[in-house]
């Protein structure tokens, strides 16, 4: 362990001030739509790295470059980047029509009284299959608005149900950015993290579903939503889910999904060869910023660790949180604080990973438990912050359809993140950490 040095954490503070401060100004003072996400996160991290390079004059600039290179020369970092890019190809191949087919199939099949429950279940499946909460919300929220309009269900409840289901999959999916970041950061197999995580997320989802059904049966409804669908396009998602749960190597699983998705899309005539290749490129491009964030955070954290910043932070955590259960709560709150500051659960996990790794060793927390805690708590906070991408995208989608809605209408009926937090605390303080 390096000598404790709290000033080594200054780059993190610089990043938070730049990113969070400018985000608040753009979003709430300048009233720029999606203003929080117009802040160039790469530039903010570059500024933080510049501050880290200026610090500690006892270390030459060449030595600092070597330290940063050492932070990147890690198998888990390379694996994470390759999985991000491969997952991008998969999402580019299968597109959005497959997710919509699942939603419309379920809505056509089940009585209107269960429409909101169906929205939640569909969002759970789609987000687990696609690995993206924002993508799920973008796809399913317009359907939720149509359900509300046709049936008479409360619009906020419909949208909140979609958001809750989206966060369920964000937390559990094998191809989710958060899962990839947490598992590789904690050197944990995705199957092990899934098994650990499932028994936290599934009870929360069941309780949420029960609450939604209770509210649904107390609502007078009429009409139903009908739309054409193509279930054949869902097959690649099913293969990815089954392969991931079975413990097949994630690259093999994604390759199977890409091959089957390509075959189905071409044979059904849904897309041409040129459009398919373009979609693959778009899917990969969508992962570039996430990859760059992972690289820059790894470089910055290498310097902070070398200067003794992690030793100082770990010392504070140990003084504040006692015992194994306290350590788990501290780890959860650490990533939660990062998420509140960055409004991005993947970035929060990547930033918290190095400290969490040391905390896990110090408190005797298994790798799978650490990965599960990071992913779960980041999704809890990301699911409820009013300036998070999930909330902003949902509100934007509804407003574009001509309805007026704010985050404060959705928050009271956003049941899943609340249930996930309660479930997480139960698994920390009541049920043994490592079964």
């Amino acid at each position: 362990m390096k000598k404790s040095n709290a000033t080594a954490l200054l780059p993190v503070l610089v990043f938070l001030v730049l990113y969070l401060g400018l985000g608040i100004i753009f979003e709430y003072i300048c009233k720029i739509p999606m203003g929080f996400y117009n802040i160039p996160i790469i530039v903010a991290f570059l500024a933080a790295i510049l501050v880290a390079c200026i610090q500690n004059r006892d270390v030459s600039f060449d030595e600092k470059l070597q330290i940063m290179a050492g932070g990147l020369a890690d198998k888990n970092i390379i694996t994470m980047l390759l999985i991000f890019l491969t997952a991008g190809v998969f999402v580019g191949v299968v597109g959005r029509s497959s997710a919509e087919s699942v939603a419309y199939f379920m809505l056509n099949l089940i009585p209107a009284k269960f429409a909101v429950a169906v929205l939640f279940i569909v969002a759970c499946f789609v987000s687990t299959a696609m690995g993206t909460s924002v993508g799920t919300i973008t796809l399913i929220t317009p359907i939720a608005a149509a359900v509300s309009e046709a049936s008479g269900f409360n619009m906020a409840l419909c949208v909140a149900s979609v958001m809750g289901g989206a966060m369920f999959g964000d937390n559990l999916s094998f191809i989710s950015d958060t899962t990839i970041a947490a598992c590789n950061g904690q050197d944990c197999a995705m199957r092990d993290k899934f098994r650990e995580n499932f028994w936290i997320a599934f009870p929360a989802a069941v309780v949420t579903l029960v609450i939604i059904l209770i509210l649904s049966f107390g609502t007078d409804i009429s009409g139903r939503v009908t739309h054409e669908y193509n279930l054949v396009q869902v097959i690649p998602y099913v293969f990815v889910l089954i392969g991931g749960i079975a413990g097949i190597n994630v690259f093999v699983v994604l390759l199977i999904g890409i091959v089957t998705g390509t075959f189905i899309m071409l044979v059904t005539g849904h897309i041409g060869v040129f459009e398919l290749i373009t979609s693959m490129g778009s899917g990969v491009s969508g992962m570039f910023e996430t990859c760059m964030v992972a690289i820059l955070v790894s470089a910055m954290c290498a310097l902070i660790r070398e200067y003794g910043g992690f030793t100082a932070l770990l010392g504070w955590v140990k003084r504040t949180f006692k015992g194994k259960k306290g350590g788990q709560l501290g780890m959860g709150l650490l990533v939660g604080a990062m998420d509140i500051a960055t409004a991005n659960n993947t970035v929060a996990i990547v930033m918290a990973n190095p400290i969490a790794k040391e905390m896990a060793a110090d408190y005797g927390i298994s790798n799978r438990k650490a990965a599960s805690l990071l992913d779960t708590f980041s999704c809890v906070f990301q699911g409820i912050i009013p300036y998070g991408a999930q909330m902003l995208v949902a509100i934007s989608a509804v407003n574009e359809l001509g309805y007026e809605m704010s985050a404060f209408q959705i928050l009271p009926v956003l049941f899943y993140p609340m249930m996930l937090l309660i479930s997480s605390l139960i698994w920390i303080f009541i049920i043994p950490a490592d079964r």
Side-chain angles (χ1 to χ4, degrees):
M1 294 289 285
K2 301 292 181 180
K3 184 179 179 181
S4 177
N5 178 17
T7 60
L9 295 169
L10 181 61
V12 178
L13 180 62
V14 169
F15 167 77
L16 296 180
V17 169
L18 283 176
Y19 189 69
L20 182 61
L22 289 175
I24 291 172
I25 291 172
F26 281 19
E27 185 76 35
Y28 297 104
I29 298 177
C30 300
K31 304 294 183 182
I32 298 173
M34 294 292 288
F36 211 97
Y37 292 88
N38 286 325
I39 307 299
I41 191 171
I42 303 297
V43 175
F45 272 120
L46 285 173
I49 289 177
L50 176 62
V51 171
C53 288
I54 293 173
Q55 286 182 299
N56 196 348
R57 297 190 177 184
D58 292 337
V59 181
S60 70
F61 184 67
D62 281 344
E63 289 174 319
K64 290 172 182 174
L65 290 176
Q66 190 63 46
I67 292 168
M68 287 190 282
L72 298 178
D74 185 290
K75 183 191 77 171
N76 291 324
I77 299 296
I78 301 301
T79 303
M80 187 192 313
L81 296 177
L82 291 176
I83 295 174
F84 279 148
L85 295 175
T86 311
V89 174
F90 172 73
V91 173
V93 167
V94 296
R96 58 185 294 162
S97 58
S98 302
E100 291 174 342
S101 290
V102 175
Y104 286 122
F105 169 71
M106 294 289 287
L107 288 169
N108 284 339
L109 192 67
I110 295 175
K113 199 75 174 177
F114 300 95
V116 182
V118 168
L119 285 172
F120 177 71
I121 294 170
V122 167
C124 287
F125 173 81
V126 170
S127 58
T128 304
M130 292 179 65
T132 165
S133 55
V134 173
T136 300
I137 291 167
T138 301
L139 291 175
I140 311 298
T141 297
I143 301 174
V147 167
S148 175
E149 183 69 20
S151 65
F153 280 113
N154 179 272
M155 180 74 73
L157 177 62
C158 292
V159 174
S161 298
V162 172
M163 290 181 63
M167 296 315 298
F168 174 87
D170 195 313
N171 185 206
L172 282 181
S173 175
F174 286 89
I175 59 172
S176 166
D177 294 358
T178 57
T179 295
I180 296 167
C183 289
N184 283 278
Q186 299 305 309
D187 198 18
C188 163
M190 290 188 181
R191 179 176 58 179
D192 292 339
K193 183 262 184 187
F194 177 86
R195 290 172 175 172
E196 188 78 28
N197 219 159
F198 180 81
W199 296 111
I200 300 173
F202 182 70
V206 170
V207 174
T208 300
L209 186 60
V210 170
I211 295 172
I212 291 172
L213 287 172
I214 291 172
L215 293 176
S216 296
F217 283 114
T219 304
D220 291 326
I221 56 96
S222 60
R224 64 189 305 159
V225 177
T226 57
H227 198 283
E228 60 184 39
Y229 54 85
N230 185 350
L231 282 183
V232 175
Q233 296 174 1
V234 180
I235 292 174
Y237 288 134
V238 175
F239 280 154
V240 168
L241 283 177
I242 293 173
I245 294 171
I248 300 173
N249 181 280
V250 65
F251 290 110
V252 175
V253 169
L254 287 171
L255 184 60
I256 292 171
I258 291 168
V259 171
T260 55
T262 299
F263 178 78
I264 289 170
M265 291 297 177
L266 291 176
V267 169
T268 58
H270 181 75
I271 194 172
V273 175
F274 176 76
E275 290 82 0
L276 183 69
I277 294 173
T278 302
S279 296
M280 288 182 180
S282 298
V284 172
S285 297
M287 291 291 188
F288 283 175
E289 183 174 83
T290 303
C291 289
M292 282 307 305
V293 166
I295 291 170
L296 294 175
V297 168
S298 299
M300 182 180 74
C301 288
L303 288 176
I304 293 174
R305 182 188 291 109
E306 180 68 22
Y307 298 164
F310 286 172
T311 305
L313 185 55
L314 189 58
W316 176 82
V317 169
K318 289 173 67 176
R319 289 192 299 271
T320 306
F321 301 97
K322 306 296 183 184
K324 192 171 186 176
K325 294 179 179 179
Q328 292 176 73
L329 179 61
M331 191 180 293
L333 294 179
L334 171 68
V335 75
M338 295 290 189
D339 188 78
I340 290 172
T342 62
N344 186 311
N345 45 347
T346 305
V347 175
I349 291 171
V350 171
M351 292 181 68
N353 260 332
I355 282 290
K357 185 75 171 175
E358 295 188 24
M359 288 176 65
D362 239 40
Y363 284 97
I365 302 169
S366 67
N367 291 352
R368 67 178 186 273
K369 187 67 178 182
S372 174
L373 285 169
L374 290 176
D375 202 346
T376 301
F377 273 85
S378 71
C379 285
V380 167
F381 286 90
Q382 184 68 23
I384 60 175
I385 53 176
Y387 51 88
Q390 289 76 5
M391 183 70 76
L392 295 177
V393 166
I395 293 171
S396 176
V398 172
N399 290 343
E400 284 179 8
L401 295 171
Y403 305 100
E404 290 294 329
M405 182 168 291
S406 72
F408 298 102
Q409 291 173 279
I410 298 173
L411 281 172
V413 288
L414 198 55
F415 302 119
Y416 179 72
M418 303 175 196
M419 295 303 106
L420 184 61
L421 176 60
I422 292 171
S423 182
S424 300
L425 294 176
I426 289 172
W427 279 88
I428 288 175
F429 291 105
I430 298 177
I431 299 174
D434 295 308
R435 299 170 305 287

